[in-house]
């Protein structure tokens, strides 16, 4: 927080303005990187994987998928 009573001349104002600009730039970079990370986490593939993982706790999807893969492999090798 800027203590305005300590700003006595233009050089003090310029110094505080530069510090404020740097602080805003750092916050902007932090926000941008957080948004990019969030965007990468919510891709369709990741959302689908999370859904499958949450459903597979009570439905054995891995066994069902393995059965389908074996069935397809058997039909393709005939």
């Amino acid at each position: 927080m800027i203590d305005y009573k300590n700003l006595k001349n233009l050089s003090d104002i310029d110094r505080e303005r530069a510090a404020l600009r740097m602080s805003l730039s750092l916050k902007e970079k932090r926000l941008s990187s957080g948004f990019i990370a969030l965007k990468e986490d919510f891709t369709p593939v990741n959302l689908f994987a999370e859904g499958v993982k949450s459903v597979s706790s009570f439905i054995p999807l891995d066994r069902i998928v393995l059965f389908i893969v074996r069935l397809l492999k058997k039909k393709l090798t005939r």
Side-chain angles (χ1 to χ4, degrees):
M1 189 88 182
I2 299 172
D3 191 9
Y4 290 104
K5 65 183 175 187
N6 291 334
L7 298 177
K8 306 231 187 283
N9 52 30
L10 287 176
S11 64
D12 292 342
I13 293 173
D14 288 338
R15 185 179 42 221
E16 289 297 328
R17 186 183 309 157
L20 184 61
R21 193 176 300 128
M22 184 179 295
S23 173
L24 286 175
S25 175
L26 290 174
K27 286 181 182 181
E28 178 185 1
K29 288 177 185 176
R30 209 175 316 136
L31 182 65
S32 177
S33 66
F35 177 73
I36 291 170
L38 184 67
K39 187 176 163 186
E40 289 173 356
D41 287 343
F42 285 105
T43 61
V45 172
N46 286 343
L47 290 174
F48 179 74
E50 287 296 319
V52 168
K53 187 167 54 171
S54 68
V55 169
S56 68
S57 62
F58 54 90
I59 297 175
L61 289 176
D62 54 345
R63 292 182 194 160
I64 294 170
V65 171
L66 185 60
F67 173 76
I68 292 171
V69 167
R70 286 179 179 165
L71 185 69
L72 289 173
K73 184 177 176 185
K74 188 184 290 185
K75 285 189 178 197
L76 288 174
T77 57
R78 283 186 180 177

